[in-house]
Amino acid sequence: MLEYGAKNNLLEELSGSSSMGGEKECICRLSLHEVSFLFFFWWLSLWQWRRPRMDSMMSEFWTPIAKQYNPLKAGSIDGTDEEPHDRAVSRAIAATYRPNKGVIGDPHLTLFVARLNPQTSEEKLKDTFSRFGDIRRLRLVRDIVTGFSKCYGFIEYKDERSLLKAHRDSNKLVVDQNEIFVDFELERTLKGWVPRRFGGGLGGKKESGQLRFGGRDRPFRKPFSLPALKAEFYTEGPADKLDRARDNWQWERGRDRDRRREERGEEREKHSGDRERYRSRERDHKRQRDEDRYKDEDRHQRREKHKTRR
């Protein structure tokens, strides 16, 4: 209905824009196909005019670094997931974490340092990061039971200039044969922050299977929008169903063939093992029989010799 009304309005505008009666009659006599053709070009020009504005709006809202922490978006490579893809994300969504109020210092002047060598000490960290500016406070996080380093710490500078310089130049710096990672403190500055132990955090390793995006280590990738298609484009047709059934049948046939081949191989190995055991048993029996015969012959010869001596 909307498309038909737009066509009628376009037809009225075209007919009203002409001042001559002959031209009005000529335009009014346009066929529905011609009107549709004109409407398509009008819609295309309108879309080309609005597309740059839409792209600019998308670029304004999208950022590679998260401005607010959302566990569901952090678990997505482009921040567009609508359902959690692992249990840790669900755990982070359900977590009610509150920042530690006992932490002192200015969070906007604090640097987070991770991936440290377990042997790195506070003195080594101070010598490394004091080159970027005056340090007010340094804390290397240690286990409360063993006292061993947890391989991360926090460094508070006296001014913002030193903080920004350290953030820019010290990332991926090698300290005690370890390439460290440096970022701003997020626990007290990023709204909605959930730490790694609750399933949140940022970054991570591929081996863990729980990567988190939106931080300096793994920023969001820019999403790309797909055109909205009708439902029939996403459903299977008769030919697709036939191809899928054929593929399943071929896969099951190949699986059964491999299974039968394996069973025959196992039976062959079993029979060969039985045959070998039977042959070895026969050889042992023959050897024992020969030994017994030799013993009997020797015993008989010794007896004959003894008789002759008498």
Side-chain angles (χ1 to χ4, degrees):
M1 294 296 293
L2 182 61
E3 184 179 357
Y4 182 73
K7 291 178 181 178
N8 290 338
N9 294 335
L10 179 61
L11 184 60
E12 291 177 0
E13 291 178 2
L14 292 174
S15 60
S17 62
S18 177
S19 60
M20 299 180 64
E23 292 181 358
K24 288 183 180 179
E25 294 177 0
C26 180
I27 294 176
C28 291
R29 290 175 184 174
L30 291 175
S31 64
L32 184 61
H33 178 71
E34 294 173 342
V35 173
S36 302
F37 189 72
L38 292 174
F39 176 76
F40 171 74
F41 273 100
W42 172 78
W43 177 84
L44 185 62
S45 62
L46 181 63
W47 169 253
Q48 294 293 336
W49 174 70
R50 294 188 62 182
R51 184 174 180 180
R53 298 180 60 186
M54 294 175 63
D55 293 341
S56 62
M57 291 174 61
M58 287 294 294
S59 62
E60 290 177 1
F61 289 110
W62 179 86
T63 56
I65 304 299
K67 301 299 182 182
Q68 182 176 354
Y69 190 81
N70 187 342
L72 185 60
K73 292 184 178 180
S76 172
I77 192 171
D78 55 0
T80 58
D81 280 4
E82 298 181 357
E83 294 182 0
H85 69 278
D86 58 40
R87 294 181 181 179
V89 175
S90 303
R91 203 155 44 88
I93 294 174
T96 57
Y97 178 76
R98 296 291 181 272
N100 187 4
K101 295 183 179 180
V103 178
I104 60 176
D106 189 354
H108 299 284
L109 295 178
T110 304
L111 207 63
F112 170 71
V113 184
R115 301 173 188 172
L116 296 171
N117 191 312
Q119 305 300 326
T120 302
S121 61
E122 288 85 350
E123 291 76 11
K124 181 65 176 180
L125 276 181
K126 189 172 183 180
D127 293 340
T128 303
F129 286 89
S130 60
R131 72 182 71 171
F132 304 109
D134 296 334
I135 296 177
R136 178 179 297 170
R137 191 177 288 104
L138 185 146
R139 182 168 68 96
L140 180 63
V141 181
R142 295 181 178 274
D143 190 273
I144 59 175
V145 178
T146 62
F148 294 152
S149 171
K150 289 189 175 182
C151 303
Y152 70 93
F154 298 91
I155 300 174
E156 182 185 357
Y157 283 94
K158 292 183 179 181
D159 55 276
E160 186 178 0
R161 182 178 180 181
S162 302
L163 175 76
L164 297 177
K165 185 178 180 181
H167 181 269
R168 183 185 68 243
D169 299 336
S170 64
N171 189 37
K172 297 185 179 181
L173 191 68
V174 178
V175 179
D176 291 338
Q177 291 81 41
N178 272 34
E179 188 179 89
I180 64 175
F181 171 72
V182 177
D183 198 0
F184 298 118
E185 181 189 348
L186 300 177
E187 181 180 5
R188 295 179 291 171
T189 58
L190 189 62
K191 185 178 180 181
W193 172 254
V194 179
R196 191 69 175 180
R197 62 179 181 273
F198 290 104
L202 294 173
K205 296 182 179 180
K206 292 183 180 179
E207 294 79 8
S208 66
Q210 297 178 2
L211 297 178
R212 299 294 179 263
F213 301 89
R216 186 181 189 184
D217 190 24
R218 296 185 182 276
F220 286 128
R221 293 186 182 180
K222 193 168 185 179
F224 59 94
S225 57
L226 296 176
L229 301 178
K230 295 182 179 180
E232 55 264 20
F233 287 94
Y234 297 103
T235 57
E236 285 185 325
D240 297 332
K241 292 182 179 179
L242 183 61
D243 293 340
R244 184 163 56 85
R246 187 184 299 110
D247 294 339
N248 292 338
W249 176 77
Q250 292 178 355
W251 178 79
E252 292 177 357
R253 184 181 178 185
R255 183 190 60 183
D256 295 339
R257 184 172 58 251
D258 296 339
R259 186 180 301 168
R260 288 194 299 269
R261 187 182 296 112
E262 291 178 359
E263 291 177 355
R264 286 197 299 269
E266 292 177 358
E267 292 178 359
R268 192 179 298 111
E269 290 179 359
K270 182 179 179 180
H271 292 325
S272 63
D274 295 341
R275 190 181 303 110
E276 188 66 27
R277 285 194 297 270
Y278 176 76
R279 290 177 179 176
S280 62
R281 194 181 300 114
E282 286 292 328
R283 287 193 296 268
D284 296 340
H285 180 68
K286 185 178 179 180
R287 189 183 303 109
Q288 186 67 31
R289 187 177 56 191
D290 294 340
E291 290 178 358
D292 295 340
R293 188 179 60 188
Y294 295 150
K295 288 180 181 179
D296 294 340
E297 291 178 357
D298 293 341
R299 190 181 302 112
H300 180 70
Q301 291 178 1
R302 286 197 300 268
R303 189 177 300 167
E304 290 294 332
K305 289 181 180 179
H306 185 66
K307 286 181 181 181
T308 55
R309 289 177 181 177
R310 288 183 179 181

